[in-house]
Amino acid sequence: MILVLRALGVGDLATAVPALRGLRAAFSEHTLSVAAPDWLAPLAELIGDVDNVLPTEGLDPVDGWPGPTPYWAVNLHGRGPESHRLLGAAGAERLCAFACPEAGHLDGPQWRDDEHEVHRWCRLLRWYGVDSDPDDLTLRRPAPHRVPVGVTVLHPGGKGTERRWSPVRFAALARELTRVGHRVVVTGSAAERDLVERVVDEAGLPNTAVLAGRLSLVDLAAVVAYGRLVVSTDTGVAHLATAYRTPSVVLFGPVASARWGPPPDRSWHRALGGVTGAHDRSVPVDGSESDGAWSGIHPALAAIEVDEVLTAASEVERAGRDTRAVAA
């Protein structure tokens, strides 16, 4: 068995797809098991090269790894030491991980903070003699049962308010996109339903546009896969758009797009905003955009205007049409 640790979220697993496919090709005779939260199992199935998911919540200790002793244990989770030690407890013949003297692991390459997440794990595997293609990001398209197709997806949520663009601006964007013919839906988790309903209400969209908490992970993937356009914060939905080559505009705040953005050579994806430092303070929004649920916005996000997003949306849509025409 090849045991891979990636106990994080949707975007994290999506950026590990090239590395996982490299491992599958290199160890075709072994079972490829990914230690990740069990709710990510449907996404692992869409990758198509993962045999099973071993339910693992973050870096919580595992009371005995299930299955046989791994041949390799591969840390696609972080730099250590906690993740190294967690995998070390599996007793694998070899630990494939970044060098971490604190965890007693002196093998492996050095970690680089400024590296794109996709390229980071491909570089790690190259150190250990495993080739992978950082452009191999595509996921299998699920059947579009019970979900709208051809829609424009707005996703205003994300981890922490610093990654979120103003809901007032999202609503203004939704109004303008609707005016020029887009059928807009707004997605989010169940916990983000209030935020999504606010965007929908202020945009004057019908209640059917609220998809927060109504979609399974596979259904969300289908909405994106068969969508017209995605405008998202720096979160998992943006990576689904990359995986399905759906034209997208991704809004970045405290994290640099060079580390988590879509491939820069794909003209049908566009990253806006983003900074080099990850700890810049948020600044208050204008009075019209401020309320108890939205007390601040990151400077890089505050600088992104609705017109800029509309222009980018038009450009990525046109690039997407051109790309499909060439492919045909």
Side-chain angles (χ1 to χ4, degrees):
M1 176 175 71
I2 306 300
L3 173 62
V4 178
L5 178 64
R6 189 65 170 165
L8 295 161
V10 171
D12 306 282
L13 188 55
T15 55
V17 166
L20 290 170
R21 293 206 170 119
L23 287 167
R24 163 55 69 216
F27 299 104
S28 58
E29 73 280 13
H30 288 269
T31 298
L32 181 60
S33 299
V34 176
D38 58 358
W39 61 269
L40 283 175
L43 183 59
E45 292 181 7
L46 296 179
I47 296 173
D49 292 280
V50 175
D51 292 306
N52 56 71
V53 169
L54 304 179
T56 306
E57 292 298 329
L59 297 178
D60 292 344
V62 176
D63 186 17
W65 289 99
T69 300
Y71 175 54
W72 272 24
V74 183
N75 189 350
L76 301 185
H77 186 96
R79 69 174 72 187
E82 293 87 352
S83 52
H84 286 39
R85 291 168 180 157
L86 180 62
L87 272 180
E93 292 185 26
R94 188 172 195 183
L95 174 62
C96 172
F98 283 98
C100 180
E102 188 177 351
H105 184 72
L106 304 181
D107 193 16
Q110 296 298 311
W111 180 275
R112 295 207 307 255
D113 284 332
D114 61 349
E115 192 167 23
H116 192 284
E117 192 73 2
V118 172
H119 292 271
R120 168 176 289 126
W121 307 117
C122 292
R123 180 171 65 90
L124 172 66
L125 293 186
R126 281 198 303 272
W127 178 279
Y128 289 95
V130 175
D131 290 328
S132 55
D133 179 2
D135 290 326
D136 189 7
L137 296 161
T138 305
L139 297 175
R140 179 174 60 83
R141 287 174 178 261
H145 299 311
R146 306 179 306 278
V147 300
V149 299
V151 295
T152 289
V153 179
L154 304 189
H155 192 90
K159 295 179 181 178
T161 58
E162 275 209 331
R163 292 194 182 193
R164 298 179 183 179
W165 201 39
S166 164
V168 172
R169 296 183 192 181
F170 259 117
L173 176 66
R175 285 194 299 272
E176 287 301 308
L177 289 171
T178 300
R179 185 181 63 80
V180 295
H182 290 251
R183 184 157 61 105
V184 175
V185 298
V186 188
T187 57
S189 67
E192 294 166 342
R193 189 175 178 89
D194 287 347
L195 170 64
V196 169
E197 288 180 342
R198 175 182 173 181
V199 172
V200 167
D201 289 344
E202 294 196 16
L205 300 176
N207 290 335
T208 53
V210 176
L211 298 187
R214 295 179 177 175
L215 302 174
S216 68
L217 182 52
V218 171
D219 287 340
L220 176 62
V223 169
V224 173
Y226 295 93
R228 173 178 176 177
L229 170 72
V230 172
V231 181
S232 170
T233 57
D234 170 26
T235 193
V237 167
H239 296 283
L240 292 178
T242 297
Y244 292 119
R245 304 174 75 88
T246 301
S248 67
V249 180
V250 188
L251 312 178
F252 282 84
V255 177
S257 61
R259 291 181 56 195
W260 283 92
D265 60 341
R266 299 186 183 186
S267 57
W268 56 93
H269 301 304
R270 182 73 55 81
L272 300 179
V275 296
T276 302
H279 302 291
D280 298 57
R281 292 187 303 110
S282 295
V283 297
V285 296
D286 297 337
S288 62
E289 298 186 37
S290 180
D291 60 23
W294 187 262
S295 58
I297 182 171
H298 191 275
L301 286 165
I304 303 173
E305 299 291 347
V306 173
D307 286 347
E308 183 181 1
V309 180
L310 286 168
T311 298
S314 177
E315 291 172 351
V316 298
E317 269 210 286
R318 183 166 57 252
R321 287 194 296 269
D322 292 344
T323 300
R324 286 191 290 270
V326 170

